Amino acid sequence: MSRHSNTNTNANASTSTNAPTGGESRRLIDLERGLPALDGATLRAHAGLLLAVSLMALPLVIAALISFGTRATFTSVSELSLETAAQNYRDVLFRYDMGQYMLNSLIMSVIVVIGKLAVSLLAALAIVYYRFPFKNAVFAVVLLTLMLPVPVRIVPLFQLAADLGWANSFAALTIPYLASATTVFLLRQHFLSIPASLVESAKLDGVGPLRFLAFVLIPMSKGMIAGVSVIMFIYSWNQYLWPLLIVDDQSMQVAQVGIRLLQGVVESGEIAWPLLMAGSIVTLVPPLAVLIVFRKPLLETFGVQ
């Protein structure tokens, strides 16, 4: 009888020790419902992230709201109209040629991305896998170009492009930007991480450098190449100063300069802010689409999990 009583007492003690607390019970219930477990610290972190995201998105939301109206200021939601927004976006794309500017930006960005990748892959291949005199010095010079500000070189670059007769052409918009020290550096670091045994095997099999690049290095670097391409596309899409200087023909202008041209549109004696905001919104769409599609390789490029 005494032994049975002790057994019950130990069982009750064990049950009371293992019983979940109030917070643990809530977490268990959340997990059973398929919801993430939330506690005070998690809720505060989520609230802080929500606040930060809201602050960052606020200018975009304001721009989108203004593009739905006829004036830059409105006092009630009833002043916003889908019909007015459709007219604003239609005017921006076709009446004020923003569609043509965006097409020019797209062509320029694609050419720059493809050209930069080709040049950078060959440069990284030579720096990593070939022996030639002063190889480290050459790589140091490539890195030093990162410290040369764009405004310092833009005047001689403009004179060179004008002397070559490249003004108002895609050659002027793209060729000066086909070399990138940042891309060479990133690809070099990635190539250094590839096992040396693969290189030795390729040499023993008689694989040439271009075949090694095409059939070994590029397939093993898809993530890095995709991430670098996203960065280069957004950089090229946001070009403003160089196209503004080298292009006089308005039909050859790019999207960022097109937004600047929209600032000159005046209606009823004031800047047409709804048109300007509509132009800004449509200009965001292509780089945003690229970011969404290639988000995973871009995060892998920066080592973000």
Side-chain angles (χ1 to χ4, degrees):
M1 183 65 185
S2 175
R3 182 181 298 175
H4 180 72
S5 176
N6 290 336
T7 303
N8 289 338
T9 303
N10 292 334
N12 292 334
S14 175
T15 302
S16 62
T17 302
N18 295 327
T21 62
E24 291 173 343
S25 299
R26 285 195 297 273
R27 282 197 291 273
L28 289 174
I29 292 172
D30 290 340
L31 289 174
E32 289 175 356
R33 291 176 178 176
L35 299 174
L38 297 177
D39 53 15
T42 305
L43 286 174
R44 285 192 293 274
H46 286 191
L49 289 173
L50 183 61
L51 177 63
V53 171
S54 301
L55 288 175
M56 287 188 289
L58 185 60
L60 186 60
V61 173
I62 293 175
L65 290 176
I66 291 176
S67 71
F68 274 67
T70 56
R71 298 176 300 172
T73 56
F74 50 88
T75 55
S76 68
V77 179
S78 60
E79 296 179 14
L80 306 178
S81 165
L82 284 176
E83 184 178 353
T84 304
Q87 184 62 45
N88 288 339
Y89 283 92
R90 196 161 42 240
D91 286 347
V92 162
L93 288 174
F94 302 108
R95 183 180 173 189
Y96 296 105
D97 296 330
M98 184 57 77
Q100 180 63 45
Y101 302 152
M102 292 178 65
L103 178 61
N104 293 338
S105 284
L106 182 63
I107 295 173
M108 177 186 71
S109 302
V110 170
I111 293 175
V112 169
V113 169
I114 295 174
K116 271 187 178 179
L117 273 181
V119 173
S120 302
L121 281 170
L122 292 174
L125 174 72
I127 291 172
V128 175
Y129 297 107
Y130 281 84
R131 296 178 181 175
F132 55 89
F134 308 110
K135 184 171 76 171
N136 292 332
V138 170
F139 180 59
V141 171
V142 171
L143 291 183
L144 282 175
T145 60
L146 291 173
M147 303 177 187
L148 194 63
V150 174
V152 171
R153 56 184 172 173
I154 204 158
V155 173
L157 193 59
F158 173 82
Q159 187 62 51
L160 177 62
D163 292 342
L164 292 173
W166 288 355
N168 298 316
S169 69
F170 282 110
L173 290 173
T174 56
I175 291 177
Y177 290 94
L178 294 187
S180 169
T182 305
T183 309
V184 172
F185 174 75
L186 291 174
L187 290 174
R188 173 189 176 271
Q189 297 306 111
H190 179 70
F191 287 171
L192 288 175
S193 67
I194 293 177
S197 58
L198 284 177
V199 183
E200 297 301 327
S201 300
K203 288 180 179 177
L204 291 175
D205 292 339
V207 177
L210 292 181
R211 287 186 62 194
F212 179 66
L213 175 67
F215 296 107
V216 178
L217 288 182
I218 291 179
M220 294 184 69
S221 311
K222 286 181 179 177
M224 173 62 70
I225 292 173
V228 169
S229 299
V230 172
I231 298 170
M232 290 188 295
F233 180 87
I234 295 175
Y235 175 79
S236 302
W237 183 268
N238 290 329
Q239 283 290 328
Y240 171 75
L241 182 58
W242 178 243
L244 181 66
L245 288 175
I246 199 63
V247 174
D248 291 332
D249 185 357
Q250 192 165 318
S251 65
M252 281 295 298
Q253 275 301 355
V254 298
Q256 303 303 326
V257 180
I259 294 176
R260 177 66 181 86
L261 295 175
L262 283 176
Q263 291 184 5
V265 179
V266 176
E267 292 183 352
S268 303
E270 61 181 18
I271 296 175
W273 288 106
L275 294 178
L276 185 57
M277 294 300 110
S280 301
I281 294 295
V282 297
T283 306
L284 287 175
V285 173
L288 184 62
V290 171
L291 271 178
I292 292 173
V293 172
F294 295 100
R295 181 182 65 88
K296 186 175 180 181
L298 179 63
L299 295 179
E300 289 176 350
T301 301
F302 288 105
V304 179
Q305 301 297 325

